[in-house]
Amino acid sequence: ARILAQMADQTIQQLQVGKSHLFNAPNRKKRKKKQIDNHTDSTMINAAQQIWNMANKLLYRQDWYVRENRLGHVEFEFHKILGKYWQQVLDDDWDNGCLTLPDRYHEFKTTCMVLGENEMENDREYLDTVPIVRAGRAFAQEYHKLDRQEKAQLRNEEHPVVSRYFWQCMNRARREDPTVFQPMFEMALPLLEYINPAENGRSLGRILRSTSRFFKSRRIDLLFQEKDQELLLDHVQQIFHTIVAKTGHPLSFDLGMFFFDIKRFHFHPNKVIRHWATDYFREEIRKEKEVNHVSA
């Protein structure tokens, strides 16, 4: 009981400190810094109640005798509920308004502080079995089987749906996912001019960071603030055009992963941008560590 009480108090305190730190972002000029009153804040009150309820349930669990690592299991449960309510803080309060690139970086650092650095690493390996991911990869592969003239003919069509080459690619995609949303493939079609199909699972955030030397950070800032799907795709197309023009060769790109993100973007744009920003800053920190290691 004493250990559970200590863990509950510690979890609530972590959430309180993290939220206070989050809303005192040094770069936040467009919005007034939010004063956090943990005694009247509904999110914190609800979180505290749920954390104590969980501690009480853990105290009276009947199956402890079959568990070899009780303390490890308890720590895992507290960490999981902390992550759940931290995500709620980000969704309910922090995302209300326009977030700049410095805001996203502050969000990234604060989340690492609250949940631990490894918590920000997105595990995307399981997505290889997701139908939309497989459909996107199949579409890109079929497109790149077309010869130069067929690709040019498809790109020059005012409406891609009138082209038999478009349906050749769509039919291949629908073998993997019969429910695919056709207009999404139409909107993303211009990107295929700049890519080589890949299945590397790299999110757009990691790609943008690894090629960020080719454009100003303001371009990323605009992309990470976008809420409209069509405008988002326009931003990505312009960025890809710049990268290919600078490097002289197509960009290795996982269209399946991108379609997975775009499908979610329609309903949860802030969550998708957060994943991209997380991968963007994670890639930046990884490169800094590699440079420091080589220098040492």
Side-chain angles (χ1 to χ4, degrees):
R2 177 175 53 82
I3 292 173
L4 288 170
Q6 289 175 346
M7 286 188 175
D9 275 332
Q10 183 180 359
T11 303
I12 294 169
Q13 186 178 9
Q14 278 181 272
L15 196 58
Q16 290 173 340
V17 171
K19 187 170 183 180
S20 177
H21 185 74
L22 180 71
F23 283 93
N24 284 288
N27 298 302
R28 176 150 299 199
K29 297 179 180 179
K30 295 183 179 180
R31 289 191 284 176
K32 293 182 179 179
K33 293 181 180 180
K34 186 174 181 178
Q35 297 299 318
I36 304 300
D37 185 353
N38 294 314
H39 298 290
T40 59
D41 179 32
S42 59
T43 302
M44 284 304 309
I45 292 172
N46 183 45
Q49 289 174 340
Q50 294 303 318
I51 289 169
W52 281 112
N53 287 343
M54 188 191 73
N56 190 56
K57 289 179 181 178
L58 290 173
L59 180 62
Y60 293 102
R61 287 198 67 157
Q62 299 297 318
D63 62 343
W64 285 123
Y65 66 92
V66 299
R67 297 184 179 275
E68 295 181 2
N69 185 6
R70 299 181 188 180
L71 184 59
H73 176 73
V74 168
E75 290 174 345
F76 172 77
E77 291 295 330
F78 275 105
H79 188 75
K80 187 167 67 173
I81 200 170
L82 175 63
K84 172 186 174 182
Y85 282 103
W86 181 251
Q87 183 73 37
Q88 189 172 321
V89 166
L90 296 178
D91 290 342
D92 294 347
D93 300 325
W94 174 252
D95 276 338
N96 292 330
C98 183
L99 295 180
T100 64
L101 198 60
D103 286 332
R104 291 293 181 188
Y105 187 49
H106 182 69
E107 172 190 271
F108 170 79
K109 291 194 298 182
T110 307
T111 302
C112 287
M113 178 189 77
V114 174
L115 301 179
E117 185 174 339
N118 291 333
E119 191 69 24
M120 297 298 287
E121 192 74 66
N122 295 319
D123 181 10
R124 295 175 175 265
E125 292 181 4
Y126 75 97
L127 292 177
D128 288 343
T129 61
V130 175
I132 186 61
V133 175
R134 296 169 64 90
R137 290 171 177 175
F139 187 90
Q141 290 168 1
E142 192 66 25
Y143 173 85
H144 280 275
K145 288 180 181 178
L146 303 175
D147 61 35
R148 184 178 299 179
Q149 184 178 353
E150 292 169 339
K151 290 177 182 177
Q153 184 177 335
L154 173 55
R155 286 197 301 267
N156 291 332
E157 290 285 3
E158 185 176 353
H159 301 289
V161 291
V162 304
S163 170
R164 67 185 179 92
Y165 301 117
F166 175 77
W167 287 107
Q168 181 177 327
C169 298
M170 278 301 301
N171 290 337
R172 174 72 189 283
R174 281 180 170 163
R175 292 179 200 168
E176 303 292 343
D177 184 3
T179 66
V180 291
F181 188 54
Q182 174 193 316
M184 183 169 66
F185 285 75
E186 292 180 55
M187 288 188 291
L189 190 61
L191 298 179
L192 294 172
E193 180 181 355
Y194 306 106
I195 73 170
N196 275 328
E199 298 184 8
N200 53 21
R202 295 175 69 202
S203 78
L204 186 65
R206 291 185 62 189
I207 291 173
L208 294 177
R209 183 59 230 174
S210 62
T211 57
S212 60
R213 62 189 181 279
F214 298 128
F215 38 81
K216 296 181 180 179
S217 61
R218 178 61 179 160
R219 175 75 75 177
I220 305 298
D221 204 355
L222 289 172
L223 179 70
F224 283 178
Q225 294 181 56
E226 191 55 68
K227 297 294 188 292
D228 182 84
Q229 191 180 76
E230 291 190 30
L231 292 177
L232 180 81
L233 287 167
D234 286 341
H235 282 305
V236 175
Q237 183 181 351
Q238 292 172 20
I239 289 173
F240 280 13
H241 176 77
T242 301
I243 295 171
V244 172
K246 295 283 187 180
T247 61
H249 55 79
L251 185 66
S252 178
F253 187 62
D254 191 336
L255 192 67
M257 282 296 308
F258 185 65
F259 277 154
F260 175 80
D261 288 333
I262 292 299
K263 185 177 181 180
R264 293 186 304 139
F265 185 87
H266 181 73
F267 302 100
H268 303 290
N270 286 326
K271 289 185 178 180
V272 174
I273 295 299
R274 181 176 302 130
H275 281 304
W276 289 351
T278 294
D279 288 340
Y280 181 85
F281 295 120
R282 169 68 62 184
E283 184 77 1
E284 181 178 25
I285 290 174
R286 184 184 66 80
K287 287 195 169 187
E288 288 177 356
K289 287 182 177 178
E290 288 179 353
V291 170
N292 292 337
H293 177 73
V294 171
S295 298

